[in-house]
Amino acid sequence: MSVLEKAFHSPVGRKVAARAGLAEPPVLRRGRTYPGGALVLAQIGEATLGARTLDVLGRPYEAPVLDGGEDVTPGYGDRIGAVVIDATEVTRIDQLEHVRAVLRPAVRGLEGSGRVVILARPAGGDWEQRAVARALDGIDRTVAKELRRGATSNLVRVEEGATPADVASTLEFLLQGRSAFVDGQTWAVGHAPSVAGISERPLDGRIVVVTGAARGIGAAIARTLARDGAEIVAVDVPAAGESLAAVANEVGGTALQLDITAPDAGARIAGLVASRGARIHGVVHNAGITRDKMLANTDQSRWASVLQVNLAAQMRMNEVLLDPAVDGGVAEGGRIVGIASTSGLAGNKGQTNYAASKAGVAGLVEAMAPDLASRAITANAVAPGFIETDMTAKIPFVQREVFRRSNSLSQGGSPVDVAETIGYLLDPASQGVTGQVIRVCGQNLVGA
Amino acid sequence: MNHNVVVVGGNRTPFAKAGGPLREASNHDLLTAALDGLVARHGLAGVRLGEVAGGAVLKHSKDFNLTREAVLSSALSPLTPACDLQQACATGLETTMYIANKIALGQLDAGIAAGVDSTSDAPIAVSDGLRRILLAAQAAKTPAARLKALARIRPSHLAPQAPSVAEPRTGLSMGEHQALTGARWSVTREEQDEIAAESHRKLAAAWQEGFFDDLVTPYLGLAKDAILRPDTTVEKLSALRPVFGGPEGTMTAGNSTALSDGAAAVLLASETWAKERGLPMLARIVDAEIAAVDHPGGDDLLLGPVAATGRLLARQGLEVSDFALVEIHEAFASTVVSTLKAWADEEYCRSLGLDGAIGELDRDRLNVTGSSLAVGHPFAATGARLVPTLAKLLHEKGPGSKGLISVCAAGGQGLVAILEAV
């Protein structure tokens, strides 16, 4: 820790920082925990999806307080934990007033780490309907920015035909502390022919391969998925073997020292799983490297190594592991999760190679998803923003503090936040979520 | 044997020269690291194994229960029992046979054999004179008598005594013994330097192709064997001065093993246990034989394995040519050369009570991924390094491939074992 950083975190430093508007960031609710306060459900029009989904989750809910234009805005007695707005039947501009009438009292009454979840439909229908779909997006993103004390707002586009069983895992994830650092985001949930029920240990007895598992985000992924019951095959380069072994032993998994750029990387993983007479439930392509330089200084080798490790290697491994003829490959109903990055989605100075590889990951899962649907395999990516790791700890203090605070939650995310989002995507109950890229960035100012 | 015993896999720390990158690690630390890497590789965290047998040649007295303590520090279930065994440089192979034999008899279904040595953390003893004075002071009944006893301490008493590598009965170091053997068997400098250069070349190639990716786990930031010199050549080695055998000697620091730090472990199991867990079965432990020579009576100290090899091959009805691969521990390059010459020597073999010469070895089958000259030789760990290395090599050659391991040990002893690929 630098002298400057120590001073900043000293009692005097904290006071000065608070005066300067740099208040202590809120401590976020995390884990498989629901909000403490009441859950409010606002059903707009004839919508019933939200109510039926909460029934699936077994969560009781209350009716909303509405702002009807009185002189004093009506309020909730106690703080509420979350408000779910079922806007799946909202198609007209004047119906948006209903959304406002629900949100005004709700945002005032929301507890710390409370939740706003908007259920909507994908853009479609007539001109007004399409405009309204985007309008809801705008509402979500703005509410996310206005909410304080670690509360978040997210929007789920529920495709026609999707059932409460399809939506349940997504709503559960968003209400729980697992989605702590997912804010101001929008993604889609579709219908799957067969979807598993909600479970506390959804990955029980399922094999999940995590690359880059020796440290940082990869180690957090291994721990979190093991908590959810997964048998972890922890992969990292041979040189990282010492910490890899520690992680594998901690989670009761298996360590595989392997360079993922080796031509036989996929076959080696499949071989290990096949020897147990099993198949893989999920592959989390977490391994990644940076070789940052401004493009003007980026040579062939910096370019190649980043694209190889971050993108080409996982494509090659997928080809092997997704081949139904390969013993120990990905099972029907399996999961592929890639790690993109907000740097990739938004671009980041000095990271052309990295941005190319990470945006490429987003493109890859979008391309894979429809092709794998017939085998009930989903392909998704998470895009972390500023996450507190050994890697980001090396960024100079002032710059790091700026990065931390340039999002709606005024703090860096924890590796566990990325891990929890991956756990949600790996959940057999998330069968209807595929081809999505979910940002875990606290609604970073950078990017879309 | 009633049950087939298979080598499931192995793990070791990288090996390093004494005082090198692993100098801060104790035997306990090194052995724990080797166990943890093995546990992680095979998904055994929290599992209760039948038994772990390990040992060290240079051991602090406080480490009387070294292996059990390392098990308790490791990720294995604390309900896993352990014992310490020691047979000098053959320790790692002897622990392998101890566990294998118990599995064969049905007493265990799985266990770990291990060995460790830290020459950086060698026990330093006090002199006999100082020990007598301290005992007298402790026994003294009055403070005055105690002071009087302690007043007898002289500066010379305080010089620590490092453990000696000399043979107790001959007063000669192992290198000096081998120098006598080398001269007796007309081992040339060139032969020795060639073996040393080959050892480094082969080990470097094996690292390069990732052979050790599933046999070694990095430790304390060291990812590869630190003694290895990939660019060494016979020319470079020939420039070194002799360290044993006087000014005309042929043994140098380059063709003798360095004092080393490191630990190695092997996972052994019954075939049934390995299958149930879906773990690899690299090779079967077929048989082993131990022998000793009368080195105080003038025999070659490090040729103990020759008689063991002859008797083992006779018992199994095998010829040298039946072995796809052979691992002869490179205590010194000269040991390897003299061992092979002894194998081929009709008269010598008959003097050991064998029916005739053991045979000539095709050198292409010998130590194909390098051996102790390049890897290093933490005494007790070497056997537990050799077993998984050979098992993996044989497995790659295909089912039925046979391999022989020959390890010489202090006290004129030699332990030899046969593996066969599953």
Side-chain angles (χ1 to χ4, degrees):
Chain A
M1 215 182 262
S2 67
V3 177
L4 187 62
E5 190 168 3
K6 274 184 188 154
F8 185 81
H9 289 295
S10 70
V12 178
R14 279 165 198 254
K15 275 185 191 159
V16 174
R19 287 275 175 90
L22 294 175
E24 282 283 289
V27 175
L28 306 181
R29 169 169 58 91
R30 287 193 163 92
R32 289 188 166 272
T33 56
Y34 278 99
L39 203 162
V40 170
L41 173 68
Q43 297 166 280
I44 302 179
E46 302 297 310
T48 62
L49 184 79
R52 289 183 292 136
T53 307
L54 287 169
D55 288 345
V56 169
L57 293 175
R59 305 306 299 181
Y61 51 86
E62 295 176 3
V65 168
L66 297 176
D67 173 29
E70 303 85 346
D71 290 344
V72 180
T73 309
Y76 291 89
D78 283 330
R79 293 228 163 252
I80 58 169
V83 57
V84 176
I85 300 176
D86 187 346
T88 51
E89 300 294 323
V90 172
T91 53
R92 302 291 155 219
I93 292 168
D94 55 15
Q95 285 177 292
L96 294 174
E97 157 56 20
H98 199 137
V99 177
R100 185 206 63 80
V102 171
L103 279 172
R104 187 176 184 195
V107 295
R108 290 177 174 209
L110 207 55
E111 68 182 27
S113 291
R115 294 286 188 266
V116 173
V117 181
I118 303 172
L119 303 177
R121 291 293 182 198
D126 61 22
W127 290 359
E128 183 172 2
Q129 224 169 314
R130 285 165 177 264
V132 166
R134 284 298 289 267
L136 286 168
D137 226 17
I139 293 170
D140 167 54
R141 289 169 200 270
T142 308
V143 170
K145 288 191 177 178
E146 288 189 3
L147 287 174
R148 298 169 64 181
R149 298 191 317 262
T152 66
S153 176
N154 291 285
L155 185 144
V156 184
R157 292 199 189 288
V158 184
E159 286 168 17
E160 293 291 345
T163 65
D166 291 318
V167 184
S169 75
T170 302
L171 188 55
E172 181 198 42
F173 170 69
L174 284 173
L175 291 173
Q176 289 189 342
R178 290 185 290 149
S179 62
F181 206 58
V182 178
D183 196 10
Q185 300 306 304
T186 299
W187 69 92
V189 179
H191 176 59
S194 146
V195 60
I198 292 297
S199 161
E200 279 280 295
R201 279 170 66 86
L203 302 176
D204 225 359
R206 291 168 189 269
I207 294 179
V208 179
V209 177
V210 181
T211 68
R215 59 177 68 89
I217 293 176
I221 294 169
R223 290 186 191 106
T224 302
L225 302 183
R227 177 205 67 191
D228 285 354
E231 288 177 21
I232 304 293
V233 175
V235 179
D236 215 314
V237 288
E242 187 177 0
S243 37
L244 182 71
V247 171
N249 285 339
E250 184 192 329
V251 303
T254 306
L256 179 58
Q257 298 185 159
L258 175 70
D259 181 346
I260 56 160
T261 61
D264 64 343
R268 293 264 312 272
I269 292 170
L272 191 150
V273 176
S275 75
R276 299 191 198 165
R279 292 187 77 81
I280 297 168
H281 171 69
V283 183
V284 182
H285 292 294
N286 165 72
I289 57 167
T290 54
R291 294 287 181 273
D292 297 354
K293 279 273 184 221
M294 300 297 268
L295 185 57
N297 299 318
T298 299
D299 61 19
Q300 221 170 9
S301 103
R302 278 176 191 277
W303 189 263
S305 58
V306 169
L307 280 156
Q308 272 302 317
V309 175
N310 296 5
L311 185 57
Q314 63 178 274
M315 259 189 72
R316 270 199 303 274
M317 287 161 72
N318 285 343
E319 277 163 23
V320 175
L321 296 174
L322 288 169
D323 180 347
V326 170
D327 285 339
V330 175
E332 287 232 337
R335 302 280 185 266
I336 302 285
V337 180
I339 311 288
S341 162
T342 49
S343 296
L345 306 183
N348 194 19
K349 210 153 85 172
Q351 290 198 309
T352 328
N353 49 2
Y354 186 74
S357 70
K358 292 298 185 177
V361 167
L364 181 61
V365 298
E366 285 164 3
M368 289 165 72
D371 292 347
L372 298 172
S374 63
R375 290 156 63 198
I377 296 171
T378 70
N380 295 285
V382 298
F386 184 85
I387 305 294
E388 305 279 358
T389 63
D390 290 346
M391 194 170 86
T392 54
K394 287 183 188 133
I395 299 170
F397 164 64
V398 173
Q399 203 182 347
R400 179 156 33 102
E401 200 58 32
V402 170
F403 284 152
R404 273 180 184 147
R405 291 181 182 271
S406 47
N407 64 59
S408 300
L409 297 169
S410 307
Q411 59 191 296
S414 153
V416 79
D417 298 327
V418 179
E420 294 280 21
T421 309
I422 291 166
Y424 150 68
L425 293 169
L426 289 169
D427 191 331
S430 301
Q431 193 63 49
V433 185
T434 190
Q436 305 300 305
V437 179
I438 301 175
R439 291 174 35 153
V440 185
C441 64
Q443 198 179 24
N444 203 300
L445 296 177
V446 171
Chain B
M1 293 199 184
N2 298 325
H3 300 264
N4 268 340
V5 184
V6 293
V7 177
V8 174
N11 181 58
R12 62 177 178 92
T13 66
F15 291 172
K17 207 170 255 185
L22 302 181
R23 66 180 174 277
E24 296 301 325
S26 64
N27 275 337
H28 175 98
D29 300 337
L30 287 161
L31 183 54
T32 306
L35 291 175
D36 273 343
L38 188 67
V39 167
R41 183 160 300 140
H42 299 97
L44 298 176
V47 170
R48 178 178 65 84
L49 284 181
E51 190 174 1
V52 178
V57 173
L58 300 178
K59 199 158 96 166
H60 290 268
S61 53
K62 68 176 164 44
D63 282 340
F64 65 95
N65 226 351
L66 172 66
T67 310
R68 169 64 183 153
E69 291 301 326
V71 165
L72 286 171
S73 294
S74 80
L76 284 168
S77 159
L79 306 183
T80 303
C83 74
D84 277 30
L85 292 179
Q86 203 263 60
Q87 193 181 53
C89 303
T91 301
L93 189 53
E94 193 62 271
T95 56
T96 300
M97 292 318 301
Y98 168 85
I99 294 290
N101 290 344
K102 281 197 169 190
I103 294 170
L105 287 169
Q107 295 172 357
L108 303 175
D109 49 16
I112 294 173
V116 56
D117 258 293
S118 167
T119 40
S120 298
D121 181 35
I124 304 293
V126 298
S127 66
D128 278 354
L130 181 58
R131 187 168 51 82
R132 280 190 213 104
I133 293 167
L134 291 173
L135 285 173
Q138 206 171 21
K141 295 209 165 39
T142 65
R146 186 167 301 142
L147 269 179
K148 198 178 161 198
L150 291 174
R152 302 203 322 259
I153 297 177
R154 296 288 171 270
S156 65
H157 287 136
L158 299 177
Q161 296 189 323
S164 163
V165 287
E167 281 294 320
R169 283 168 193 280
T170 60
L172 297 178
S173 74
M174 214 170 256
E176 288 160 344
H177 265 289
Q178 184 56 46
L180 296 175
T181 300
R184 190 173 302 156
W185 289 92
S186 318
V187 177
T188 67
R189 172 76 185 260
E190 292 69 32
E191 285 176 297
Q192 296 176 57
D193 287 346
E194 270 167 30
I195 285 196
E198 277 292 276
S199 190
H200 284 275
R201 188 187 64 75
K202 289 172 178 171
L203 182 70
W207 271 110
Q208 183 65 33
E209 68 181 39
F211 179 79
F212 293 109
D213 286 357
D214 58 358
L215 290 174
V216 176
T217 304
Y219 184 52
L220 299 183
L222 180 65
K224 287 187 180 176
D225 296 314
I227 293 166
L228 170 64
R229 292 182 192 283
D231 56 350
T232 199
T233 59
V234 173
E235 290 69 48
K236 283 182 187 167
L237 288 164
S238 67
L240 297 172
R241 277 183 317 187
V243 290
F244 299 113
E248 300 305 309
T250 57
M251 294 169 65
T252 68
N255 60 36
S256 310
T257 47
L259 289 173
S260 317
D261 300 342
V266 196
L267 178 59
L268 299 158
S270 69
E271 227 177 279
T272 322
W273 190 88
K275 276 185 187 153
E276 274 169 10
R277 293 196 153 257
L279 288 170
M281 296 186 287
L282 300 177
R284 198 165 62 82
I285 306 264
V286 178
D287 199 357
E289 175 78 12
I290 183 142
V293 295
D294 179 17
H295 63 285
D299 287 352
D300 294 306
L301 178 78
L302 298 181
L303 293 192
V306 179
T309 304
R311 299 206 295 250
L312 182 61
L313 266 57
R315 178 161 73 229
Q316 289 290 329
L318 293 170
E319 309 271 335
V320 172
S321 59
D322 292 326
F323 294 98
L325 296 167
V326 172
E327 291 284 338
I328 298 178
H329 159 51
E330 295 170 337
F332 304 90
S334 170
T335 315
V336 178
V337 179
S338 48
T339 299
L340 291 175
K341 288 189 173 180
W343 278 17
D345 191 306
E346 181 82 19
E347 197 186 333
Y348 179 79
C349 287
R350 286 194 185 279
S351 78
L352 299 174
L354 305 174
D355 286 345
I358 294 169
E360 297 258 2
L361 177 68
D362 171 1
R363 292 283 189 100
D364 290 344
R365 303 181 180 188
L366 177 67
N367 299 347
V368 294
T369 52
S371 191
S372 306
L373 288 169
V375 186
H377 173 40
F379 309 119
T382 291
R385 167 183 74 79
L386 288 169
V387 172
T389 302
L390 180 62
K392 181 178 171 180
L393 287 167
L394 290 172
H395 188 71
E396 287 174 353
K397 286 209 171 281
S401 308
K402 289 185 183 63
L404 183 78
I405 300 178
S406 166
V407 181
C408 56
Q413 310 199 85
L415 181 57
V416 176
I418 296 174
L419 308 188
E420 182 182 319
V422 177

